[in-house]
Amino acid sequence: MNFFAHQELARKQTRRMVVLFTIAVICIVIAVDFVVMVAFGIAGEVRRGSAGTGTGVVVATSVGVLAVIGLATLYRISTLRAGGSAVALQLGATPVPVDTTDFAYRRLRNVIEEIAIASGVPVPEIFVLEDEVAINAFASGYSPADAAVTVTRGCLDKLTREELQGVIAHEFSHVLNGDMRLNIRLVGVAFGILVLAIVGRKIAEASGRARSRDSGGIVVLGIALLVVGYIGVFFARIIKASISRQREYLADASAVQFTRQTEGIAGALKKIGGLSEGSKLTSHDGEEVAHMLFGDGVGYSALFATHPALTERIRRLQPQFNPAEFAEIAAAWSQPRRVGEVDDPDASLAGFAPSRSSQRASSVARRAVLPAVSQEMRLSANAVANQVGHPDTGDYAAAAALNMTIPEALSAAAHGREQSMAVVYALLLNADPLVRKQQIEMIEHHHDPGTAAEVVALAEQTKSIHPMQRLPLAALAFPALRRHPRSKLQIFVIALTQLIKADGRVSLDEYCLAKLVGVQVIDALNPAATRVMGRVKLGETAMELCDLFAVMAEYGHDDIDGARRAYALGLNEVLPDIKPVYTAPQDWALALDRALPRLDALAPAGKELVVRGLTHAISADGVVSVNEAELLRTVCAALHCPLPPILQQTA
């Protein structure tokens, strides 16, 4: 199942959730109405045909119940509008600083940064539940731009780098496939139903203390609301569990697709089963976020289980698994030894290793060679479409190479809150002295002379980096960028636009960088409003598609005949019934800025065809340059279809 199929499945699950919870709410309203009719003698009026007043009471009760559930749901979701970090902070998680010196935190950040770069998404916020010794993790947020990944201290103390990669890849599949938004909605609706029970309890308690003759019916109503509310919670948990279980299987499978090996995620699951700490959260109430977690954090019975049985999950990954391995793992980790900062494949991120070493080697390749700047690639449209949201081992190796070869000064600046903007500005400084002088004056206008001087110093460092490292460097700066106040981020986006237009024209690499960073910052400013899955059909966006494919054809070919052929080939993939005439847009950057927001509203199946068509268009002459590939990645990122740094080539 590829990225677009996952997106369509997430949409179906959302519709299923809405239908099931709507049915549950209707049943709750009917049950409360019945209790009100019995408690206040309205049922008798209905049977006698004189139900004028009774009908009004029932209607008022129905409206009241719906209002309680609806307002409570909206309130709970509103508390999470800040994005993924809000969920982590509400659980008491500790943020992992971008400039951390703790070696376990640093290793955790390296793993997550590499997976983010390989996936083509912004680096998420990173948190650790320091008081939790169990092995667990979760991803939260509305979209990749505001995502947060949280792991327990148990993950750092018990999991090897390879196993943590499997866990993080599992969580990234939730980030990429739209599961996080559904998770937040589940939290909100379940809370709304729970509040009804709480209101019933308060009514019963208050009326019981009053001890008046007329309080009997109100006490009955309160008790009924309490009972009906908790029955609603009962069914809400069943609905939540049924949706969650299937998604966990899909996320496990995606983690294997990401890492191209089963040892990592299977090893993490085996340690959950073998170690006494397991995956159950003890320091925090995990019920509300149970459906988000990597492992069962509550210890539900089979009926309410938000996760499939542990042995079943492992056997789907490794059919020959023997549960006796649990005992072997428990014995090996009964007295862990401290090994510190060594490259031991059996050592955890925090530097602990089992008492008996398995002497195994890591299965993840750590070396990759970046293509030459002038190298031309041959792409497969189907392979590129399948890469969206599904990086593999080669992508991880490429991400590691991109990350490790970025100059240390640039990497440190990207991780620093005060220097993160300067790094992005430095990537946009023009080589022409007159244009550069004008750009520096713009930076001084929006910031201060100190920032401008810092940009100039960092620009010297950027001269040595590979073109394919420009976008990953900006991705590394993103966690620090989004910590700035909203007003400063808005100024930052305006400044980016002015910098790339300082010389009166917009180059391809300037546009790619500014567009990618701009989209991610705008998503982070209002995460709840970010659209990940649209509903618009291809036929409704014909004008925007024509503009997009005209730009891609123009930049992919030097001659007009080649551009015309590429334009027709690409559009035929998405709009086979129309034959528009190729016309190169006068202002290609403006044409893209108009087209991309509209195309972002396409349904997942439509976006898949667009990615295939774009690949056909840009490679119609048989080759694709590094800059053209970066444009394709940028366009896909603007459509929320993240691509890895290195695209799949034909043999």
Side-chain angles (χ1 to χ4, degrees):
M1 183 179 293
N2 68 9
F3 171 82
F4 304 100
H6 272 295
Q7 293 261 295
E8 194 59 47
L9 178 63
R11 173 188 285 179
K12 289 178 180 177
Q13 288 179 329
T14 301
R15 286 198 295 262
R16 178 186 171 206
M17 182 202 76
V18 170
V19 170
L20 291 175
F21 273 109
T22 300
I23 293 172
V25 170
I26 290 172
C27 292
I28 289 171
V29 170
I30 292 173
V32 174
D33 286 346
F34 176 76
V35 171
V36 168
M37 292 172 66
V38 173
F40 295 96
I42 298 173
E45 294 182 17
V46 173
R47 286 194 297 270
R48 291 193 299 271
S50 56
T53 304
T55 301
V57 172
V58 171
V59 171
T61 301
S62 300
V63 172
V65 172
L66 290 173
V68 168
I69 295 175
L71 291 175
T73 298
L74 293 175
Y75 163 76
R76 188 68 184 100
I77 291 177
S78 72
T79 63
L80 304 175
R81 284 185 68 84
S85 58
V87 180
L89 292 172
Q90 286 180 19
L91 287 177
T94 301
V96 175
V98 291
D99 56 351
T100 181
T101 56
D102 181 284
F103 79 92
Y105 279 13
R106 195 168 65 245
R107 286 174 169 179
L108 171 64
R109 180 167 282 282
N110 286 342
V111 168
I112 293 178
E113 285 178 351
E114 288 174 12
I115 293 179
I117 292 172
S119 304
V121 299
V123 178
E125 295 275 11
I126 305 171
F127 294 85
V128 176
L129 290 170
E130 282 290 354
D131 297 332
E132 298 291 352
V133 296
I135 297 172
N136 225 320
F138 67 88
S140 53
Y142 285 92
S143 71
D146 77 296
V149 173
T150 304
V151 303
T152 60
R153 168 49 67 172
C155 283
L156 302 183
D157 289 345
K158 303 295 194 310
L159 298 185
T160 65
R161 180 186 176 92
E162 186 177 89
E163 290 163 349
L164 186 70
Q165 276 186 325
V167 172
I168 299 301
H170 173 105
E171 296 307 321
F172 260 74
S173 75
H174 290 311
V175 172
L176 294 165
N177 296 325
D179 293 340
M180 297 186 304
R181 184 180 293 263
L182 176 61
N183 284 339
I184 287 179
R185 289 171 177 167
L186 282 169
V187 168
V189 178
F191 179 80
I193 295 174
L194 175 63
V195 165
L196 184 67
I198 296 173
V199 169
R201 187 180 68 208
K202 296 297 182 184
I203 291 174
E205 290 174 352
S207 301
R209 286 193 296 268
R211 297 182 181 278
S212 67
R213 292 182 178 180
D214 299 327
S215 65
I218 298 177
V219 171
V220 172
L221 174 61
I223 294 173
L225 285 175
L226 177 66
V227 173
V228 171
Y230 276 110
I231 291 174
V233 171
F234 172 86
F235 285 107
R237 286 177 176 172
I238 292 177
I239 295 169
K240 189 165 67 171
S242 67
I243 292 173
S244 177
R245 280 194 295 267
Q246 188 58 37
R247 288 186 304 151
E248 291 306 309
Y249 279 134
L250 293 173
D252 286 347
S254 293
V256 174
Q257 286 182 305
F258 274 31
T259 60
R260 285 297 187 266
Q261 47 90 8
T262 62
E263 287 80 7
I265 186 170
L269 291 171
K270 289 174 185 177
K271 283 183 178 175
I272 289 175
L275 302 181
S276 59
E277 297 88 350
S279 59
K280 187 176 180 180
L281 303 185
T282 56
S283 301
H284 305 86
D285 182 10
E287 195 282 327
E288 193 172 38
V289 297
H291 59 292
M292 297 185 184
L293 298 171
F294 172 72
D296 181 5
V298 179
Y300 284 132
S301 63
L303 182 62
F304 299 115
T306 52
H307 294 69
L310 196 61
T311 53
E312 179 61 26
R313 287 178 71 181
I314 298 172
R315 282 202 173 107
R316 286 206 177 193
L317 298 168
Q318 296 181 341
Q320 305 304 317
F321 166 68
N322 185 347
E325 290 183 45
F326 289 152
E328 296 175 5
I329 291 172
W333 280 88
S334 60
Q335 293 182 320
R337 51 194 172 92
R338 181 83 181 188
V339 295
E341 299 184 52
V342 298
D343 290 328
D344 183 341
D346 289 317
S348 69
L349 263 71
F352 295 98
S355 54
R356 296 195 302 269
S357 175
S358 66
Q359 302 299 322
R360 64 183 177 84
S362 174
S363 64
V364 180
R366 298 295 301 155
R367 292 185 179 180
V369 178
L370 298 179
V373 175
S374 59
Q375 180 176 330
E376 294 180 327
M377 296 168 275
R378 300 179 182 276
L379 304 182
S380 161
N382 288 337
V384 170
N386 287 331
Q387 270 190 292
V388 175
H390 281 99
D392 60 17
T393 305
D395 297 317
Y396 286 134
L402 288 166
N403 202 5
M404 290 187 293
T405 55
I406 290 174
E408 187 175 345
L410 286 177
S411 180
H415 286 106
R417 183 175 183 273
E418 300 305 322
Q419 293 181 292
S420 55
M421 288 186 178
V423 169
V424 180
Y425 289 151
L427 291 168
L428 292 173
L429 285 193
N430 200 290
D432 187 308
L434 293 178
V435 177
R436 176 175 286 215
K437 182 175 182 295
Q438 185 181 353
Q439 289 176 318
I440 292 170
E441 290 173 353
M442 291 177 179
I443 295 170
E444 289 179 348
H445 171 73
H446 289 296
H447 298 279
D448 53 65
T451 301
E454 199 166 44
V455 170
V456 173
L458 290 170
E460 292 301 312
Q461 296 277 345
T462 63
K463 292 178 181 178
S464 63
I465 66 173
H466 192 284
M468 293 183 68
Q469 290 178 312
R470 291 169 56 83
L471 299 185
L473 179 59
L476 290 179
F478 189 72
L481 278 175
R482 62 180 170 191
R483 290 198 180 93
H484 288 285
R486 173 181 289 268
S487 58
K488 197 168 183 179
L489 285 175
Q490 290 170 334
I491 292 172
F492 173 64
V493 173
I494 293 170
L496 285 180
T497 304
Q498 293 178 349
L499 288 177
I500 67 174
K501 294 181 178 179
D503 59 353
R505 62 185 184 86
V506 180
S507 68
L508 189 60
D509 57 343
E510 289 174 336
Y511 181 85
C512 289
L513 179 65
K515 187 66 178 179
L516 187 67
V517 174
V519 166
Q520 293 173 356
V521 169
I522 290 169
D523 283 355
L525 286 173
N526 192 7
T530 302
R531 180 193 294 111
V532 178
M533 289 179 289
R535 301 178 182 276
V536 175
K537 299 183 183 302
L538 287 169
E540 301 171 29
T541 61
M543 183 181 300
E544 290 81 6
L545 287 169
C546 290
D547 284 344
L548 173 61
F549 279 91
V551 172
M552 299 298 284
E554 180 184 20
Y555 267 90
H557 303 82
D558 296 328
D559 62 291
I560 186 68
D561 290 334
R564 188 179 292 113
R565 185 169 56 254
Y567 177 74
L569 184 64
L571 266 183
N572 185 64
E573 185 77 31
V574 292
L575 299 173
D577 297 329
I578 67 171
K579 305 296 180 185
V581 178
Y582 168 72
T583 304
Q586 293 183 344
D587 187 336
W588 65 271
L590 180 62
L592 283 183
D593 286 340
R594 282 197 305 251
L596 292 177
R598 175 65 172 162
L599 296 175
D600 188 32
L602 286 171
K607 288 185 179 181
E608 181 175 14
L609 291 176
V610 170
V611 174
R612 289 181 183 173
L614 291 174
T615 309
H616 281 308
I618 207 167
S619 60
D621 58 355
V623 292
V624 176
S625 70
V626 170
N627 280 343
E628 291 165 356
E630 293 296 272
L631 176 60
L632 178 60
R633 288 189 64 228
T634 301
V635 169
C636 288
L639 300 181
H640 292 95
C641 299
L643 277 171
I646 297 180
L647 303 181
Q648 183 68 49
Q649 301 186 50
T650 57

